Amino acid sequence: MTGSNDTLSRLETIVGRILRTGVAGSMAFLAAGLIAWAAGSGSAARVLNAGLIVLMAVPVSRIAASFVDAVRRRDRLLASATAIVLAVLALTIVYARAAQP
Amino acid sequence: MTEALLTGAAGAVAGMLGTLLGIGGGVFLVPFLNVGLGLGMRAAGAVSLITVIATSSVTSAASGRLRVVNLRLGMVLEIFTTIGGFAGIIFVNRFSERVLELAFGGVVAFVAVAMMTRLDRRNIIAGDQGAVGRLGGRFFDDESGSEVAYRIRRPGVAFGASFLAGFVSTLGIGGGVLKVPALNAWCGVPMRVAAATSALMIGATAVVGSANYFLRGDIVPHLAAAAALGVLAGSQAGTALAARARAKALKVLMAGVLAIVAAVYFFKAWP
């Protein structure tokens, strides 16, 4: 990620790891869940949903990691922007739960 | 069962095309699920958004991609994209199937046009002594073999494009196709930076729509799973083919396909 700061490459490593393991974990659940569903197993729904939740958590996690890193490096612009994005994401969840059909 | 297999296959095709064309597979996947399998716009969009998160995360993790991402710019723009997404979920939750179809048709038509008129500017300040401002950046440019700098122009356009991209993303597409050309053509961002930054941020944008659909029960889990796995497989194939495929001919062909899709949707939506 651009910036004259070399410590940003540490964030790159962390973010890369989050992205890769998150997707891999999610796909493992989704694949297992799909097989369970095909076999008519009762646990399929839970496993599938777990996979979906893990996947949705990936971008949120990496943003949270960016926030922590920004605070550490006293990058106020990045820290504020990241905090606002996390707040909007939280708001979305609150809204979606409240506005159930 | 057939539905799941077809969805997986459609995902693979969408993933491959998306990677080859750089536009994301949503524009192909949503029509397939909606028109082909008869899923409603919300259900189709929901499945597609799940694949967007997967694609965004995987492509961003590829070696070297994170290096050219401008995280500050991306995050500031993401404020507007997520707010746009929030507006989008209110829109999607409230309006009828027909309105969603119309909106989707409009976006696809725009994508078709955008694909044909691809602007590609380098946007580089000669010598890395240029002042980059708070949101600009530097990266190592392989082409010139040196570190280059760029600065952001017309931030208002970037904010607006981001908001719009976030809004339409709730229909199930990535939104990058709105953001990247705007950033590159009007805001002074080099192509590689715009593309990488957008690809990373799109995952976060997709969470807005996905979370909404998930909590409202609009996601069909086994189809989402099949689609996600398919898309990832397809994009691997797409990356492998990218070196050999003749991008220009493919783009013209796909722009044509998208134009037809847009026409189908306008036809569908009109009473």
Side-chain angles (χ1 to χ4, degrees):
Chain A
M1 295 159 194
T2 55
S4 31
N5 219 327
D6 250 324
T7 59
L8 274 178
S9 66
R10 182 179 152 200
L11 179 62
E12 271 172 45
T13 319
I14 295 174
V15 168
R17 205 167 285 160
I18 292 174
L19 294 174
R20 273 185 295 263
T21 49
V23 173
S26 161
M27 292 302 128
F29 276 113
L30 291 180
L34 200 54
I35 294 171
W37 169 82
S41 163
S43 64
R46 263 173 299 150
V47 179
L48 286 171
N49 282 333
L52 293 176
I53 291 172
V54 168
L55 189 59
M56 287 188 280
V58 169
V60 181
S61 307
R62 67 140 184 98
I63 291 177
S66 303
F67 174 72
V68 170
D69 187 81
V71 169
R72 254 190 59 242
R73 284 183 302 108
R74 312 235 177 89
D75 187 337
R76 291 164 96 218
L77 179 61
L78 186 57
S80 339
T82 322
I84 296 175
V85 172
L86 287 171
V88 176
L89 287 172
L91 214 76
T92 311
I93 295 175
V94 169
Y95 165 79
R97 298 193 77 164
Q100 297 257 341
Chain B
M1 187 57 164
T2 353
E3 255 192 355
L5 288 171
L6 283 174
T7 305
V13 173
M16 190 169 63
L17 286 173
T19 311
L20 284 173
L21 302 168
I23 61 170
V27 278
F28 302 110
L29 194 57
V30 171
F32 171 81
L33 295 169
N34 182 234
V35 179
L37 290 186
L39 288 178
M41 283 299 288
R42 271 168 280 256
V47 168
S48 184
L49 277 179
I50 289 294
T51 69
V52 170
I53 300 178
T55 316
S56 156
S57 307
V58 167
T59 57
S60 298
S63 83
R65 293 276 295 192
L66 289 176
R67 191 138 307 150
V68 287
V69 167
N70 185 334
L71 192 61
R72 276 183 164 185
L73 175 66
M75 276 300 171
V76 170
L77 293 184
E78 193 59 23
I79 296 175
F80 295 89
T81 327
T82 44
I83 293 177
F86 193 83
I89 67 183
I90 295 176
F91 170 77
V92 153
N93 290 343
R94 188 158 299 188
F95 286 91
S96 72
E97 191 75 9
R98 189 162 277 167
V99 173
L100 299 184
E101 288 171 353
L102 209 63
F104 188 76
V107 177
V108 172
F110 179 86
V111 173
V113 170
M115 274 180 68
M116 292 306 298
T117 59
R118 223 10 180 0
L119 301 160
D120 196 341
R121 301 217 189 140
R122 296 195 73 216
N123 286 322
I124 287 171
I125 306 172
D128 77 332
Q129 302 311 312
V132 295
R134 303 188 78 193
L135 293 177
R138 299 185 161 78
F139 68 105
F140 188 84
D141 180 34
D142 291 328
E143 278 181 56
S144 59
S146 60
E147 196 185 59
V148 294
Y150 60 92
R151 56 178 307 144
I152 308 304
R153 297 181 299 139
R154 304 198 192 96
V157 172
F159 300 156
S162 298
F163 178 88
L164 261 178
F167 186 82
V168 302
S169 75
T170 35
L171 291 172
I173 59 180
V177 74
L178 291 174
K179 252 170 129 167
V180 174
L183 288 178
N184 183 242
W186 290 309
C187 305
V189 183
M191 199 57 187
R192 283 184 64 199
V193 175
T197 308
S198 173
L200 180 63
M201 292 301 152
I202 263 165
T205 316
V207 171
V208 175
S210 307
N212 174 66
Y213 287 130
F214 183 78
L215 291 168
R216 295 172 63 96
D218 285 320
I219 300 185
V220 182
H222 63 274
L223 292 183
L229 293 164
V231 165
L232 284 183
S235 58
Q236 299 290 341
T239 322
L241 286 173
R244 288 188 236 151
R246 249 171 290 132
K248 190 123 197 231
L250 192 62
K251 276 191 177 142
V252 172
L253 177 65
M254 282 305 134
V257 169
L258 289 179
I260 295 174
V261 170
V264 165
Y265 268 85
F266 285 130
F267 203 67
K268 248 186 137 215
W270 231 270

